Amino acid sequence: MDAGKIYYFDNNATTRVAPEVVEAMLPFLSEQWGNPSSMYQFGKSVAGHIKSAREKVAALIHADPREIIFTSCGTESNNSAIHSALVSQPGKRHVVTTAVEHSANIKFCEFLQKRGYEVTFLPVESDGSIDIHLLEKSIRPDTAIVSVMWANNETGVIFPLEEIAAICRSKGVLCHTDAVQVPGKLKIDVAELGVDFLSLSAHKLHAPKGIGLLYVKRRTRYQPYVIGGGQEHGRRGGTENVPYIVGFGRAAELAMAGLADENTRIRGLRDRMEKNILGAIPNTLRNGNRESRVPNTSNIAFDFVEAESILLMLDQAGICASSGSACTTGSLDPSHVLTAMGLGPARARGSIRFSLGSYNTAEDVDYLLEQLPSLIAKLRAVSPTAGTHHGGAGHAHAKHSKKHTVAG
Ligand code: PLP
């Protein structure tokens, strides 16, 4: 272990800001601080840089720049799409989504239910996949929008968005996808995909946190969520976050340039890591479909141990990963994603997500593989039920249980 080095396996939570992105942003945090809406040149030149960033992010998803609305984050993009669909079709009060969405969708849909809207949360299969026929059957005459994520943040499982969008089109229903976990991992072509709305968040793409976008297909009726000034062609009020928008544009350029090669490299690292963990550590299991998932994510259940204990020990070794569980005030809630896939609470509470990124190296994986088996063995040695049960019934519980939620 390099003293002080962080071995970062949590790229689905957030990513390191690329130095090229920082460099692109700096002028807009110093000398170029004009307001892009101003009439004079000092402001107008800044507006020019927003235009150029808009073109770059549009190119990343093969959209027209006029179809891009910059937002503050992926959460805002998701909320805005569903909000717009409901407000622009007041007679339609039903939303279809899935049980495994990010809380940015689930919580908003639960809020809508409290306001009298109806929401169908579609179940998933044990490998995290979706039953497309069930989705089709769940669409009703009063369905305003189908909102289904493209790639799951916990398992990496990919939903067949093209098919889902085609079903929506045939039924005349708007289709939104939370594609926050997709850029840099899969090619995005909104025309091929056929969705009406698509959400992205820049911090999953080596740009800073606090900037996102919503793609709105041309001629789709749109009702702003953040109401105020005429920014973003009247579709999102608020003075533009210029440095972050510029950074997002640069990150989009970098992601496009590296897509094919980087994915092959990262997939190779991920597969080697996963194969070795599953091979070297008994009573482990991959969660989620092996094939149909993004190339960087691996979610593994470690029977007889609590994810929280593993994470604490990994942290001591300088390794960052995350659990698929949300822990509130000392009682561990198993991940809603893994639970929806049918994992029992014990197995779900013993699951860890490893997510790789551009800055991971073969040495990082070697180091993880060197640390993990002995660490799990140590925890199992103090687990009251390890060796006496199968299926992860017992756990070595972390002593200092602290409040946390799964990030990203
Ligand atoms: N959707 C998914 C699938 C995510 O992984 C995240 C990440 O946190 C979000 C939405 C929310 O994005 P943001 O953090 O930009 O609000």
Side-chain angles (χ1 to χ4, degrees):
M1 175 189 181
D2 287 357
K5 177 169 173 180
I6 297 289
Y7 295 84
Y8 190 74
F9 291 91
D10 205 14
N11 287 274
N12 287 8
T14 198
T15 57
R16 175 181 164 181
V17 181
E20 297 92 328
V21 169
V22 176
E23 199 188 323
M25 291 170 62
L26 282 176
F28 302 93
L29 291 163
S30 47
E31 64 272 17
Q32 295 202 54
W33 45 265
N35 189 321
S37 298
S38 301
M39 288 305 294
Y40 39 81
Q41 201 46 44
F42 183 55
K44 274 190 188 162
S45 73
V46 172
H49 289 278
I50 293 183
K51 181 169 178 280
S52 152
R54 197 184 304 280
E55 285 162 4
K56 289 172 186 166
V57 296
L60 177 70
I61 63 171
H62 295 84
D64 185 300
R66 287 169 292 180
E67 296 173 313
I68 304 294
I69 302 175
F70 284 114
T71 64
S72 66
C73 57
T75 302
E76 185 192 321
S77 302
N78 283 357
N79 290 190
S80 306
I82 298 176
H83 167 268
S84 175
L86 291 171
V87 175
S88 57
Q89 307 170 95
K92 298 189 171 184
R93 298 180 63 84
H94 176 233
V95 176
V96 175
T97 187
T98 79
V100 296
E101 299 297 307
H102 190 272
S103 52
N105 236 14
I106 301 235
K107 296 282 177 196
F108 190 67
C109 287
E110 287 171 355
F111 163 81
L112 290 172
Q113 284 179 311
K114 289 193 194 109
R115 300 263 146 173
Y117 291 92
E118 281 186 71
V119 181
T120 301
F121 292 98
L122 293 167
V124 292
E125 308 290 330
S126 59
D127 67 352
S129 62
I130 200 167
D131 178 347
I132 203 103
H133 302 294
L134 193 62
L135 179 137
E136 185 162 9
K137 275 195 270 172
S138 70
I139 296 175
R140 318 187 314 206
D142 65 337
T143 304
I145 187 164
V146 172
S147 176
V148 172
M149 70 199 320
W150 194 350
N152 188 274
N153 48 303
E154 291 192 29
T155 59
V157 169
I158 298 169
F159 285 154
L161 244 298
E162 250 182 87
E163 284 177 61
I164 293 170
I167 291 171
C168 293
R169 262 197 319 283
S170 73
K171 302 230 171 209
V173 174
L174 291 170
C175 183
H176 164 248
T177 189
D178 172 347
V180 165
Q181 290 294 343
V182 176
K185 300 170 189 164
L186 304 176
K187 178 186 154 214
I188 307 179
D189 184 327
V190 284
E192 274 174 18
L193 206 55
V195 293
D196 303 289
F197 301 104
L198 178 143
S199 305
L200 292 189
S201 177
H203 74 101
K204 314 289 183 181
L205 193 64
H206 302 291
K209 297 146 197 68
I211 183 77
L213 71 79
L214 179 66
Y215 156 82
V216 183
K217 190 177 170 181
R218 283 195 76 192
R219 288 186 275 278
T220 305
R221 272 192 288 162
Y222 188 73
Q223 292 287 334
Y225 186 62
V226 179
I227 298 169
Q231 293 90 352
E232 297 298 291
H233 302 285
R235 296 181 297 180
R236 199 243 182 210
T239 304
E240 297 87 340
N241 188 347
V242 181
Y244 283 50
I245 288 173
V246 170
F248 194 0
R250 184 73 183 108
E253 259 180 344
L254 296 172
M256 275 178 78
L259 192 64
D261 294 351
E262 259 308 85
N263 275 325
T264 309
R265 189 185 73 85
I266 290 171
R267 187 189 297 278
L269 289 180
R270 190 271 314 265
D271 289 350
R272 178 163 75 85
M273 175 193 76
E274 188 174 271
K275 186 164 167 260
N276 278 281
I277 293 175
L278 295 175
I281 307 176
N283 299 304
T284 48
L285 189 89
R286 177 188 40 256
N287 297 318
N289 190 294
R290 183 171 183 271
E291 305 306 328
S292 180
R293 61 180 168 153
V294 285
N296 78 320
T297 308
S298 176
N299 191 310
I300 296 178
F302 297 86
D303 283 346
F304 316 120
V305 274
E306 288 281 2
E308 202 189 1
S309 310
I310 304 173
L311 292 179
L312 288 175
M313 288 188 71
L314 285 175
D315 190 23
Q316 281 167 16
I319 298 168
C320 305
S322 73
S323 77
S325 67
C327 165
T328 41
T329 53
S331 77
L332 287 164
D333 284 335
S335 141
H336 71 284
V337 175
L338 301 180
T339 302
M341 288 161 60
L343 268 74
R347 187 161 268 166
R349 282 198 208 101
S351 294
I352 301 279
R353 173 187 73 188
F354 300 96
S355 50
L356 286 79
S358 292
Y359 293 98
N360 282 115
T361 61
E363 290 71 42
D364 293 352
V365 172
D366 292 342
Y367 179 69
L368 175 72
L369 294 174
E370 192 187 294
Q371 296 292 315
L372 199 56
S374 60
L375 188 154
I376 298 290
K378 267 186 216 154
L379 288 171
R380 283 183 178 161
V382 295
S383 165
T385 50
T388 60
H389 288 264
H390 293 286
H395 297 287
H397 198 293
K399 280 207 185 90
H400 306 289
S401 193
K402 64 176 190 287
K403 193 169 172 160
H404 74 270
T405 54
V406 64

